[in-house]
Amino acid sequence: MVETSPPPSRFHSHRIDIKRWIPTFFSSYKTLFTVLWIVGFASVFVWQRNIVGGLSIFRWTAPTARPLPRLRPVAFNLTDFGGVGDGVTLNTEAFERAVSFISKLGKRGGGQLNVPSGTWLTAPFNLTSHMTLFLAEDAIILGMDDEKYWPLMPPLPSFGKGREHPGARYGSLIHGQNLKDVVITGHNGTINGQGQTWWKKHRQRLLNNTRGPLVEIMWSSDIVISNITLRDSPFWTLHPYDCKNVTIRNVTILAPIFEAPNTDGIDPDSCEDVVIEDCYISVGDDAIAIKSGWNQYGIAYGRPSTNILIRNLVVRSMVSAGVSIGSEMSGGVSNVTVENVYIWNSRRGIRIKTSPGRGGYVRHITYRNLTFDNVRVGITIKTDYNEHPDDDFDRKAFPVLEDISYTSIHGEGVRVPVRIHGSNDIPLRNVTFRDMSVGITYKKKHIFQCAFVQGRVIGTVFPAPCENLDVYDEQEQLVKPSVFQNISDIDYDI
């Protein structure tokens, strides 16, 4: 067999031509970039065509609504009862129909009312037992700002009169009485009280009755409020009154830090077994104020606030204090723990306030692991907070303040770290400071201020404590006894 070489052909010559052409073609980086871009786009185009539904890269998909969990055997939407979330339609009757329907489901475990995304304008309405009010993401329950829509209620029995005016007071936007097993929760939906109108009328003295809270639950038990935002309350924001077993968790409470009078964040009032945790509060008065009645009315009502745990909070109050007890504490306050709280840009950090005529007691109070950041006065006890419902109080009804401890108190930018002001009639007993170091902004005068206080300092405390307190070392051995417990170096001009 004779071997033969393949004859020269036009294909061979074309291959040679291509070799010459490729380097020439790609010598321009712009041309190379264009080719690569076309190839890449074509690859994406082919890949997308294989996806079910076609060319999804060019299709806009609306974000899906976060599914609402079912927390009760039966759940409804407010729209099922005629609600319209356009911010204009009044939804009071829709809320009332829904609550009335759920009130019949108690034996079946109650019902859940979902408030979908939207703005749901309403006048005040009541809740019922065995009910969950669930606010979806971007849901806003918006309170009517015309007081004509707000019902009047009798004064709190432990207050004797309205807090601002004699006689009746306005009810709350969301209200409940004599209930059991109530939950207000959601995906951080908002309850907005539109307080601006109320605050303005209050300053102009155009209201004849005490403003109403945003949310008030009275004489009830097993209450859970979580994962919502409360804002712009006409008056106190969240007011559990004479309730037992209350949990408030992951709640954001907001109001302007100025010009929003009396917008306390959370006011447990004559309540037992309360947990307040993991909240952010920035308001125009006390972030938290524990109460139990006002003068002779609170003494007669006789319901203390007790067994209260407050922890893991970030709070701000440019007008008042981060966490307060009183001044209305005539039924007594005891067994309170405040821990892991960060208080920033505030007039005061923590405060106990009372006066002659209050009666009652504040005892077994524990503060620990607190941080003050840019706070004018860190720790305050004031015993001459002279606000009274009338002139019929017993001027010799002196409150008892005892067994109060402060441990692991730290911070910076504090003008007066401690100002605890007892009196001859209301001395402070068994007050303890331990592990305290607060960076100060005012160094010209003694700024650990005391009057009529008996207690002790254990271990390292900065700034230097007042002379009223015994000094112990870390092993709790007495190092230096107090000079004179009734000495006073209170200076309110600092």
Side-chain angles (χ1 to χ4, degrees):
M1 185 170 77
V2 178
E3 288 188 4
T4 59
S5 298
S9 70
R10 57 191 178 124
F11 296 104
H12 181 70
S13 62
H14 277 208
R15 186 166 57 249
I16 294 174
D17 291 339
I18 290 171
K19 287 181 178 180
R20 291 180 184 150
W21 174 76
I22 288 175
T24 303
F25 182 78
F26 286 114
S27 63
S28 169
Y29 70 89
K30 292 183 179 179
T31 305
L32 175 61
F33 178 80
T34 302
V35 171
L36 292 175
W37 189 91
I38 293 171
V39 171
F41 181 83
S43 300
V44 172
F45 182 87
V46 172
W47 170 67
Q48 287 285 332
R49 283 180 61 87
N50 292 328
I51 296 177
V52 176
L55 199 61
S56 60
I57 193 172
F58 297 109
R59 183 186 303 118
W60 178 82
T61 302
T64 57
R66 191 173 175 184
L68 305 184
R70 177 175 290 187
L71 307 176
R72 300 280 183 180
V74 183
F76 309 95
N77 287 336
L78 187 59
T79 52
D80 298 334
F81 299 91
V84 179
D86 59 4
V88 177
T89 303
L90 192 60
N91 290 281
T92 314
E93 292 185 359
F95 278 110
E96 290 173 343
R97 284 192 292 266
V99 172
S100 177
F101 193 89
I102 291 173
S103 69
K104 301 177 177 65
L105 303 176
K107 294 182 179 179
R108 297 171 53 187
Q112 175 174 323
L113 177 60
N114 295 325
V115 181
S117 297
T119 301
W120 307 85
L121 184 67
T122 183
F125 63 91
N126 294 319
L127 303 178
T128 189
S129 292
H130 310 294
M131 175 180 178
T132 296
L133 178 65
F134 193 99
L135 281 72
E137 189 174 9
D138 298 323
I140 301 173
I141 296 177
L142 188 66
M144 285 288 295
D145 60 358
D146 186 343
E147 70 270 17
K148 295 176 183 177
Y149 286 84
W150 290 59
L152 291 173
M153 300 181 61
L156 296 168
S158 59
F159 279 61
K161 55 167 278 187
R163 191 61 179 82
E164 298 174 313
H165 297 277
R169 63 192 182 98
Y170 287 105
S172 59
L173 179 63
I174 297 179
H175 192 80
Q177 293 185 190
N178 301 303
L179 304 182
K180 183 177 177 62
D181 179 24
V182 174
V183 178
I184 303 175
T185 188
H187 287 153
N188 201 32
T190 298
I191 302 172
N192 187 329
Q194 293 204 93
Q196 292 82 356
T197 300
W198 293 89
W199 308 331
K200 183 177 179 180
K201 290 182 177 180
H202 170 73
R203 288 192 296 269
Q204 295 175 343
R205 302 182 183 276
L206 298 177
L207 297 171
N208 296 319
N209 302 92
T210 299
R211 292 165 288 154
L214 187 64
V215 178
E216 183 176 67
I217 310 293
M218 305 175 67
W219 303 304
S220 300
S221 63
D222 304 328
I223 310 299
V224 176
I225 300 174
S226 66
N227 301 315
I228 59 171
T229 295
L230 307 174
R231 69 177 308 142
D232 295 343
S233 174
F235 193 58
W236 301 340
T237 304
L238 178 51
H239 183 220
Y241 179 81
D242 199 353
C243 290
K244 186 174 182 179
N245 194 19
V246 178
T247 299
I248 301 167
R249 177 184 298 124
N250 291 328
V251 174
T252 299
I253 301 179
L254 304 172
I257 56 175
F258 297 113
E259 304 299 327
N262 310 107
T263 50
D264 297 14
I266 304 171
D267 287 3
D269 194 343
S270 294
C271 288
E272 180 179 356
D273 300 332
V274 178
V275 175
I276 302 170
E277 61 185 358
D278 305 321
C279 296
Y280 177 86
I281 305 172
S282 176
V283 289
D285 208 305
D286 294 315
I288 293 176
I290 301 171
K291 304 177 182 293
S292 66
W294 201 9
N295 284 17
Q296 70 270 29
Y297 304 104
I299 295 171
Y301 192 72
R303 301 282 200 283
S305 280
T306 187
N307 300 337
I308 298 176
L309 173 60
I310 299 169
R311 64 186 177 190
N312 307 335
L313 307 185
V314 176
V315 299
R316 176 172 64 159
S317 171
M318 288 293 289
V319 172
S320 195
V323 180
S324 285
I325 296 175
S327 73
E328 309 94 329
M329 40 59 64
S330 302
V333 176
S334 66
N335 299 334
V336 175
T337 296
V338 180
E339 62 183 6
N340 306 333
V341 177
Y342 177 81
I343 303 169
W344 66 290
N345 283 13
S346 295
R347 186 174 180 85
R348 303 172 190 89
I350 53 177
R351 177 166 67 161
I352 298 172
K353 46 185 177 177
T354 186
S355 73
R358 290 291 193 268
Y361 54 83
V362 176
R363 60 166 65 109
H364 308 311
I365 312 297
T366 299
Y367 300 97
R368 61 173 170 251
N369 196 22
L370 308 184
T371 301
F372 304 140
D373 185 358
N374 191 26
V375 174
R376 183 177 178 87
V377 183
I379 295 169
T380 303
I381 299 178
K382 185 174 177 62
T383 56
D384 58 351
Y385 199 87
N386 290 310
E387 289 186 359
H388 304 284
D390 50 45
D391 291 331
D392 296 331
F393 64 94
D394 180 359
R395 286 160 175 76
K396 294 186 178 181
F398 301 120
V400 175
L401 278 66
E402 61 187 3
D403 303 330
I404 303 167
S405 68
Y406 305 89
T407 303
S408 296
I409 311 297
H410 303 283
E412 59 182 10
V414 179
R415 190 171 179 87
V416 178
V418 176
R419 180 181 285 150
I420 49 177
H421 188 181
S423 69
N424 190 51
D425 295 321
I426 310 174
L428 313 178
R429 297 286 180 248
N430 195 24
V431 177
T432 301
F433 292 89
R434 184 169 197 162
D435 180 22
M436 176 174 172
S437 178
V438 176
I440 55 179
T441 62
Y442 193 88
K443 302 179 181 179
K444 294 182 179 180
K445 293 186 178 182
H446 195 59
I447 51 176
F448 195 121
Q449 301 179 5
C450 304
F452 293 89
V453 55
Q454 174 271 321
R456 58 182 182 165
V457 170
I458 301 175
T460 302
V461 169
F462 180 86
C466 58
E467 298 293 330
N468 310 58
L469 303 173
D470 299 330
V471 177
Y472 288 75
D473 62 20
E474 293 286 357
Q475 289 71 43
E476 301 191 19
Q477 300 296 313
L478 180 63
V479 174
K480 179 184 177 183
S482 64
V483 176
F484 186 55
Q485 295 172 358
N486 293 344
I487 217 168
S488 177
D489 57 3
I490 301 296
D491 185 355
Y492 285 101
D493 291 331
I494 300 179

